[in-house]
Amino acid sequence: MPRFSIIVPVFEVQGFLRECLDSVLGQSYTDFEVIAVDDRSPDGCPAVLDGYAARDARVRVLHLAENVGPGRARNAGLVEASGDYVLFLDGDDHYTPGLLEAVAARLEAADDPDILVFDHVRTHWWGRGGRSSAADLLAAAGTGTVGVRENPEYLHLLPVAWNKAYRRDFFLKHELAYAPGLYEDAPVTYRSMVLADRVACLERIGVEHRQRRQGAITRTPRRRHFDIFPQYEGLFTFLEERPDLAWARPPLFERALDHMLFVLAREDRVRLGHRPDFYRAIRSFHARHLPGGFTPPDGRRGEEMRLLATASYTGYAMARGLREMRAVAGEGGRRVAGAATQRTLRARYASRSKPPLDPRLAVYSAFSHRGVLGDPAAIHAKAGEIAPHLRGVWVVREDAVDTLEPGIDFVTPGSRRYHEVMARATYWVNNVTWPGALAKRPGSVHIHTHQGTPLKYMAADLLTRPGARHGVDVPQMLSRADRWDHSLVANRHSELVWERAYPCHFASARTGSPRNDVLVNAGAEAGEAARARLGVPAGHTVVLYAPTRREYRRGGHVDRIDLARFARDLGSGHTLVVRLHPSLAKGIARGFGLADLHGRGVLIDATDEPHVEDVMLAADVLVTDYSALMFDYANLDRPIVIHADDWGAYTASRGAYFDITADAPGHVSRSYRELAWLFASGTWQDGESARLRKGFRERFCEFDDGRAAERVVRTLMQGS
């Protein structure tokens, strides 16, 4: 008996079916069966399914005699299922790497709950969307289980079939089955949730749910969307037959109305001409099933529910429209007022006679005002040591103020003191271009530090890469760079690239990268201290994996490695540390498994460690794809492995200044199999690795001698 039965209803999805099945069959956890139900699909799906079944004994195919719809196709698959748990997956969706292993671990930890719910992400035809609204609820559940009666907010989880694992005997005991028609998922979901004694949650994105541009039934306006009413009628008939579930009627009534009103508002579901009838059907449902003492929720949806008792469709539509207009007007008014305030401040300071520049004042910023970080932080610290007469003030966003150490002088963007400091500072130090509204005053010195050695195309070079340039205003970027006086470089390669990418008026300063001073000068004790802070067991070999973002995927995140598998394959005595690119830290990347694996102790997620230098000091070897981190890490003279399994796609979309696979700092893997072999065989640290690293360091660590920050302060800020 397998642990999981995965039921896949299939109808007219031949363009996506292989990706779906491969995502299941390629899972690191293998104790499952796939029951693919051909719902009399008229395209090439039946042949695709038969081909997979012939090649993999875990796949069984049911060819239905007639088209019955996804709900009854799931029912047909359920009859054939033999697993402990049942999962449903649509034929145009796919699983994320490592999902089943994470589900199995969570089920075992929770002692086999009735239901396990996991997260998802919607993939639109133009790219991947953001995290689902369920993320916070799933995180709040923690590692235990919840009961819906005590925690009715969990009824707000998306009522679909494909984000859950059901214990099969629970499903069969309660005779759960999908009814024909659209919206068949919701009644089964809600019925199962109120019947379950124990529901577990997994804060992990397990399914990429495809939002197809065309062809999706739920996105096609037609009368079939009226199916929602018999679906919920069936649910409430069941509730009325179960007095013991009377507690569930108010929250489920609210969920039903919310769902119906949502469908009503969608022009891609209910045609304008059908809306009066649809609204009257909602009012009829409301009148028949209104529980005693029901209180609508706060907010806009609650107001709409209150209207159902008295308002005709015309009255409802007018009230709803007026609210929408007020909301839009209010939001626009706030934007206009905010912009006007900023313009007023700028005009006020521009109209005043400018105060003289203060030769003792330096202003610093890093990573769009995210805190005291990077090269600017190293320069600020060194100035405090060897030029204490220079007063440093940091520009820091309000949401980053809490990260500052005591004694740091700072201003927040847009404040009165911010404008005063920017007007008087002689030295401006930043690794990102300053806002365009700030004018450079004669006599001020702008020092631009960049964010590392460039491998991928930057600035003006992006003009040949329209995909990577999307959302980037190159002319504005160059206009801001016109204010630079000095551009810091760590090597001649960077000097040439920056002069090409930013055809402006600055002078290159061969200072080295100030943030790398700590890497060049650090002793063994610094690495041990960093390991202790990260929680690395004593004596472990630390493998740091630092992937970069991808321009060929909206949002930038692409899973290149199954992290759980990699951590396991490294074996005992190894700790895998993961550091995401800063642009991915607040996105969906962690939901694809990183947060879950960190919570279970499988690896260490060091993405939020404020100082990447400490993370590098803790590592014995760096595994990266095309991250600029490799150029900094090379200063430590420790092994580097380049995992370049999508180098062609990366260079086609973003562009690169040289072929990192030909001029690598160590061994190159082009598949996970090769990567695993490099570590299993010990090749990652052999003589060839050292030879490659030596040549790389000579080329790209040329000016990093441990005195870069001192050089900047003495030559560019003190003139000595």
Side-chain angles (χ1 to χ4, degrees):
M1 177 184 298
R3 183 61 164 161
F4 300 133
S5 292
I6 301 167
I7 298 172
V8 185
V10 174
F11 183 77
E12 292 188 340
V13 289
Q14 63 179 2
F16 315 107
L17 184 56
R18 288 183 174 84
E19 182 182 8
C20 170
L21 295 175
D22 288 344
S23 76
V24 178
L25 299 176
Q27 292 280 314
S28 54
Y29 187 89
T30 59
D31 187 16
F32 61 82
E33 64 178 0
V34 176
I35 302 173
V37 184
D38 167 27
D39 191 17
R40 200 63 177 175
S41 186
D43 56 7
C45 288
V48 171
L49 294 177
D50 289 340
Y52 272 85
R55 294 189 299 271
D56 195 317
R58 294 174 296 177
V59 179
R60 285 189 289 150
V61 181
L62 300 180
H63 294 288
L64 301 184
E66 60 179 345
N67 175 250
V68 298
R72 287 193 287 177
R74 294 191 193 106
N75 296 340
L78 185 64
V79 174
E80 302 295 324
S82 60
D84 297 329
Y85 279 82
V86 175
L87 295 86
F88 300 101
L89 179 65
D90 290 352
D92 53 353
D93 294 345
H94 63 270
Y95 282 157
T96 61
L99 170 68
L100 295 183
E101 184 171 347
V103 169
R106 185 72 184 89
L107 291 174
E108 182 178 0
D111 193 23
D112 284 3
D114 299 319
I115 305 171
L116 171 68
V117 187
F118 45 85
D119 206 353
H120 72 283
V121 64
R122 295 183 184 274
T123 302
H124 303 272
W125 62 270
W126 64 85
R128 181 188 288 163
R131 291 204 72 173
S132 76
S133 58
D136 291 341
L137 268 179
L138 296 174
T143 58
T145 59
V146 298
V148 171
R149 182 167 188 169
E150 297 76 25
N151 302 275
E153 65 272 18
Y154 282 87
L155 290 174
H156 287 254
L157 294 172
L158 192 65
V160 293
W162 38 259
N163 65 349
K164 301 174 183 70
Y166 290 102
R167 188 158 48 81
R168 187 169 62 92
D169 58 5
F170 164 80
F171 208 87
L172 296 176
K173 172 186 174 182
H174 293 287
E175 299 179 340
L176 297 170
Y178 294 93
L182 299 186
Y183 306 104
E184 78 289 348
D185 303 44
V188 172
T189 295
Y190 290 137
R191 184 171 168 178
S192 65
M193 291 289 279
V194 300
L195 288 170
D197 293 322
R198 298 165 59 244
V199 177
C201 295
L202 176 63
E203 186 195 1
R204 180 188 179 115
I205 294 173
V207 171
E208 288 213 37
H209 178 60
R210 194 181 303 276
Q211 297 282 273
R212 290 157 63 186
R213 188 166 182 262
Q214 56 185 356
I217 297 175
T218 55
R219 295 173 63 84
T220 306
R222 58 179 70 177
R223 293 286 300 191
R224 286 194 62 185
H225 290 282
F226 283 74
D227 287 353
I228 195 171
F229 300 110
Q231 298 287 8
Y232 278 105
E233 285 292 341
L235 173 63
F236 274 78
T237 297
F238 162 75
L239 291 174
E240 289 162 4
E241 295 171 351
R242 293 287 300 267
D244 58 313
L245 296 177
W247 61 269
R249 290 185 63 194
L252 288 181
F253 183 73
E254 184 270 332
R255 289 287 81 208
L257 293 183
D258 181 86
H259 196 176
M260 295 170 186
L261 291 168
F262 167 80
V263 174
L264 172 66
R266 296 288 297 269
E267 292 185 16
D268 59 351
R269 302 196 186 195
V270 181
R271 298 184 192 276
L272 294 179
H274 295 161
R275 283 188 172 179
D277 288 346
F278 198 93
Y279 178 76
R280 283 190 286 270
I282 300 176
R283 290 194 67 192
S284 177
F285 179 89
H286 178 276
R288 287 195 305 277
H289 299 294
L290 177 66
F294 172 72
T295 302
D298 295 332
R300 170 182 161 184
R301 187 69 88 209
E303 293 176 21
E304 294 179 8
M305 292 179 187
R306 291 183 180 91
L307 287 171
L308 290 171
T310 57
S312 65
Y313 175 70
T314 300
Y316 168 83
M318 289 181 62
R320 186 175 183 274
L322 286 173
R323 270 199 306 280
E324 289 177 350
M325 291 173 63
R326 284 198 299 270
V328 171
E331 182 181 355
R334 286 191 295 273
R335 285 199 300 266
V336 170
T341 300
Q342 291 300 312
R343 287 196 300 269
T344 300
L345 278 172
R346 288 197 294 270
R348 179 184 302 163
Y349 292 114
S351 64
R352 293 178 178 177
S353 58
K354 291 289 186 182
L357 291 176
D358 184 349
R360 296 172 177 264
L361 179 59
V363 63
Y364 298 87
S365 179
F367 302 105
S368 301
H369 314 321
R370 286 199 291 111
V372 181
L373 303 165
D375 286 321
I379 296 169
H380 173 252
K382 183 58 67 173
E385 177 184 334
I386 64 175
H389 64 281
L390 290 177
R391 181 166 62 92
V393 179
W394 280 83
V395 181
V396 181
R397 297 185 327 213
E398 289 185 0
D399 60 354
V401 168
D402 291 341
T403 68
L404 301 181
E405 295 182 359
I408 296 294
D409 193 3
F410 70 93
V411 294
T412 55
S415 65
R416 180 183 297 273
R417 186 169 178 245
Y418 164 82
H419 289 283
E420 293 172 348
V421 167
M422 301 308 290
R424 298 182 61 242
T426 295
Y427 302 101
W428 295 27
V429 183
N430 200 347
N431 64 1
V432 179
T433 56
W434 292 97
L438 296 172
K440 175 177 167 56
R441 294 186 62 188
S444 65
V445 178
H446 286 215
I447 300 171
H448 192 77
T449 73
H450 301 284
Q451 296 182 36
T453 294
L455 171 63
K456 59 190 177 184
Y457 279 6
M458 304 292 289
D461 289 330
L462 291 176
L463 295 174
T464 64
R465 291 293 189 276
R469 194 179 74 243
H470 180 71
V472 177
D473 189 334
V474 174
Q476 182 186 75
M477 184 181 294
L478 298 181
S479 175
R480 294 178 178 183
D482 281 333
R483 297 172 298 185
W484 301 349
D485 293 296
H486 303 287
S487 164
L488 307 191
V489 298
N491 47 67
R492 295 173 212 264
H493 161 79
S494 296
E495 187 174 68
L496 293 174
V497 166
W498 296 137
E499 290 179 0
R500 166 182 156 175
Y502 292 96
C504 302
H505 310 294
F506 57 83
S508 292
R510 296 180 175 181
T511 57
S513 295
R515 68 184 179 282
N516 288 342
D517 289 348
V518 67
L519 303 180
V520 176
N521 298 324
E525 68 282 356
E528 291 303 320
R531 288 165 177 252
R533 284 195 298 275
L534 291 173
V536 176
H540 271 215
T541 297
V542 177
V543 179
L544 171 60
Y545 176 53
T548 194
R549 64 179 290 113
R550 302 298 200 276
E551 269 67 30
Y552 60 75
R553 173 65 69 85
R554 182 173 181 173
H557 172 66
V558 177
D559 287 306
R560 307 309 312 174
I561 292 177
D562 184 336
L563 296 175
R565 182 180 180 185
F566 188 36
R568 181 173 60 247
D569 288 347
L570 287 173
S572 61
H574 294 75
T575 293
L576 177 61
V577 176
V578 178
R579 173 85 176 192
L580 296 178
H581 188 276
S583 66
L584 304 177
K586 301 300 183 183
I588 64 176
R590 282 165 158 165
F592 275 90
L594 185 55
D596 166 59
L597 296 174
H598 176 82
R600 291 197 277 130
V602 175
L603 51 73
I604 294 174
D605 177 10
T607 302
D608 290 335
E609 287 296 316
H611 301 289
V612 67
E613 297 83 8
D614 287 346
V615 181
M616 289 190 281
L617 285 169
D620 295 294
V621 53
L622 170 67
V623 177
T624 187
D625 33 38
Y626 324 116
S627 171
L629 201 67
M630 72 177 86
F631 300 97
D632 303 324
Y633 189 80
N635 282 285
L636 292 170
D637 197 18
R638 299 174 188 174
I640 300 173
V641 173
I642 301 297
H643 186 57
D645 64 338
D646 65 341
W647 176 243
Y650 183 84
T651 54
S653 61
R654 180 63 193 243
Y657 291 112
F658 66 94
D659 186 352
I660 191 62
T661 66
D663 296 308
H667 289 290
V668 177
S669 59
R670 295 185 180 274
S671 68
Y672 178 77
R673 182 177 180 180
E674 291 181 7
L675 177 64
W677 176 82
L678 286 173
F679 282 90
S681 64
T683 305
W684 62 276
Q685 56 181 339
D686 65 4
E688 177 66 5
S689 172
R691 185 189 71 79
L692 293 168
R693 186 167 69 253
K694 180 176 184 294
F696 191 85
R697 294 181 70 243
E698 289 174 353
R699 181 179 179 187
F700 296 110
C701 302
E702 185 180 4
F703 306 136
D704 281 342
D705 61 357
R707 299 181 59 193
E710 178 183 351
R711 198 172 290 119
V712 171
V713 175
R714 292 196 187 281
T715 62
L716 305 184
M717 302 176 76
Q718 289 187 302
S720 58

